[in-house]
Amino acid sequence: MRYWLSFFFVLIVASLAVVGIAGFQGSKSRKPPIEIFPDMDRQPKLRPQAPNAFFTDGKSSRPLLVGTVARGSHYQDTPFNTGRLPSSTNFVAEMPVGLTAKLLARGKERYQISCVPCHGALADGNGITKKYGMAVVANLHDKRIVSMTDGEIFNTITSGKNLMGGYGANVTVEDRWAIIGYLRTLQLARLGLVNDVPAELRAGLK
Amino acid sequence: MSDIFPKWTNKLPLRLLLGVMIVGSVVTAGVTYYFTPKYTRVGYQPIQPVPFPHTVHAEQLGLDCRYCHNGVEQSWFSNIPSANTCMNCHNQVLASDARLEPVRESFRSGQPVSWVQIHKTPDYVYFNHAVHVNRGVSCVHCHGPINKMDEVYHAKPLSMSFCLDCHRDPAAKIRPPEEVYNLNWVPPENFAKDKGAKFVHDWKVNASQNCSTCHR
């Protein structure tokens, strides 16, 4: 009986020691996860945005070499890609894509993702970041911007202007034009008069 | 014979068997509890070079996930934003805050901030972000309540059974595509039964359980 009791005692102490050292499921830990059976879990291949010792700059995602063009990228000198007339620096007056309901819906969605934080849902420059110290945000209903060509707005979205950073890397070319389409509807909604609304829809305004 | 084997040895085989069974059960219970990503991965919360709070950006400011992770709808990989994206606001907001120095340094030098990757499936798993978010699987399904996290931690096990739970019954978890980035969305009552199953059918959600769906 004595041996039996000591057997249980050792077993319980050992279990408690394991729980004490290993803790419980879901407890927070600063230490990287243990891989218990690491069979081919980590393979010597490139993964995006991961450190890689093979290259001197340590980056697995390689920057494009100068003069190379990524497959599917917009590189041609067309108004659609640059917002400018071919082989000139003049901006195109109107967006080179057809204005459809689908485009505007897409533009609204993209505007809300990328523009609303600063320019606000109404495009009046009262985004939420104003409260946190964004001092200079353009009111997109300013006459200066309403009368700006579509091409110049495209250029501003792509490359930024003054304190605004460029969004060329974040927003695709198609989506930039869609955003411009949606912005124009926001501007028109503010400038429009009641007579611009078709008579049968006017009742819905109130 | 009793001179060679004393009386207590009569019970020895039974006691040994019982002992082995008890030790075996305890060890099995321990392995079941500890040898699983629910223990090894969940709760992993490394110290990041910048203490980026998702709760401030996604919840308080209401930024869309895609403001920063802008590639998630097109790519299998959900990108970490470049310092350029951070500096759109942080060139003015907290412009000289010491915590953001690694971001400013990255912006100047072009060398990425050395964020520590938390969610890491094995290299033989080919998870595609785009197909999931474009078909009604939200960020929270795999990343947990990330919009409420001051510091990101590994919230879900991301084990193979975790994937299969959903692949065997996608209607139970799926949500309307317009609510994918609304991380606080709560499905209305009976949503899975009424709308989920219809969505799976109409959108041809092919939650395949074939090995080669994920392993190639």
Side-chain angles (χ1 to χ4, degrees), chain A residues 1 5 28 57 63 68-69 78 82 89 93 97 105-106 119 130 133 135 147 167 172 182 185-188 190 195 201:
Chain A
M1 201 61 204
L5 277 179
K28 299 279 165 61
D57 62 2
T68 53
V69 173
T78 60
T82 62
T89 52
V97 289
R106 176 80 183 173
H119 291 291
K130 201 173 188 179
S147 56
Y167 281 73
T172 63
Y182 180 66
T185 60
L186 285 178
Q187 291 171 340
L188 201 59
R190 169 137 330 176
N195 291 341
L201 295 175

Side-chain angles (χ1 to χ4, degrees), chain A residues 25 59 141 152 171 185:
Chain A
Q25 282 186 358
K59 292 189 268 193
H141 297 293
E152 188 170 359
V171 184
T185 60

Side-chain angles (χ1 to χ4, degrees), chain A residues 1 3-4 7-8 11 15 18-37 39-45 47-50 57-59 106 109-110 112-115 117-118 128-129 132-136 163-167 169-172 175, chain B residues 15 18-20 22-23 26 32-36 38-48 56 60-64 66-68 70 73-74 76-82 84-85 87-94 110-112 117-118 120-126 151 153-154:
Chain A
M1 201 61 204
Y3 298 108
W4 208 219
F7 163 74
F8 274 111
L11 190 67
S15 308
V18 168
V19 173
I21 293 165
F24 295 99
Q25 282 186 358
S27 50
K28 299 279 165 61
S29 164
R30 298 293 192 189
K31 280 177 282 182
I34 318 149
E35 278 162 352
I36 296 167
F37 303 111
D39 318 293
M40 298 170 88
D41 274 4
R42 305 293 159 226
Q43 300 165 9
K45 65 180 179 185
R47 293 184 74 85
Q49 296 190 310
D57 62 2
K59 292 189 268 193
R106 176 80 183 173
E109 188 191 44
R110 298 295 127 174
Q112 285 172 345
I113 293 169
S114 296
C115 313
C118 297
I128 189 160
T129 54
Y132 295 82
M134 290 291 274
V136 203
L163 282 171
M164 173 179 153
Y167 281 73
N170 301 57
V171 184
T172 63
D175 287 344
Chain B
R15 284 191 174 176
L18 212 60
V20 166
I22 290 169
V23 171
V26 170
T32 314
Y33 188 78
Y34 286 120
F35 284 31
T36 155
K38 282 180 196 159
Y39 169 73
T40 57
R41 296 210 72 93
V42 173
Y44 177 40
Q45 188 178 39
I47 292 174
Q48 300 286 0
V56 171
Q60 205 174 314
L61 300 178
L63 291 189
D64 193 285
R66 294 164 288 179
Y67 184 90
C68 302
N70 55 288
E73 290 166 301
Q74 296 106 42
W76 67 270
F77 179 74
S78 176
N79 61 305
I80 304 297
S82 69
N84 210 41
T85 304
M87 293 302 278
N88 284 335
C89 295
H90 286 296
N91 60 357
Q92 296 171 63
V93 181
L94 301 178
Q111 278 299 312
Q117 189 176 1
I118 299 171
K120 217 175 190 179
T121 52
D123 281 358
Y124 47 78
V125 175
Y126 290 79
E151 267 184 279
Y153 57 87
H154 205 305

Side-chain angles (χ1 to χ4, degrees), chain B residues 137-155:
Chain B
V137 179
S138 175
C139 318
V140 290
H141 286 131
C142 301
H143 295 289
I146 197 134
N147 54 326
K148 304 275 169 63
M149 291 183 194
D150 267 324
E151 267 184 279
V152 178
Y153 57 87
H154 205 305

Side-chain angles (χ1 to χ4, degrees), chain A residues 82-108:
Chain A
T82 62
R84 295 169 198 265
L85 294 167
S87 57
S88 85
T89 52
N90 298 332
F91 293 114
V92 290
E94 288 192 2
M95 47 195 292
V97 289
L99 205 55
T100 59
K102 200 178 157 198
L103 185 90
L104 290 182
R106 176 80 183 173
K108 181 181 182 184

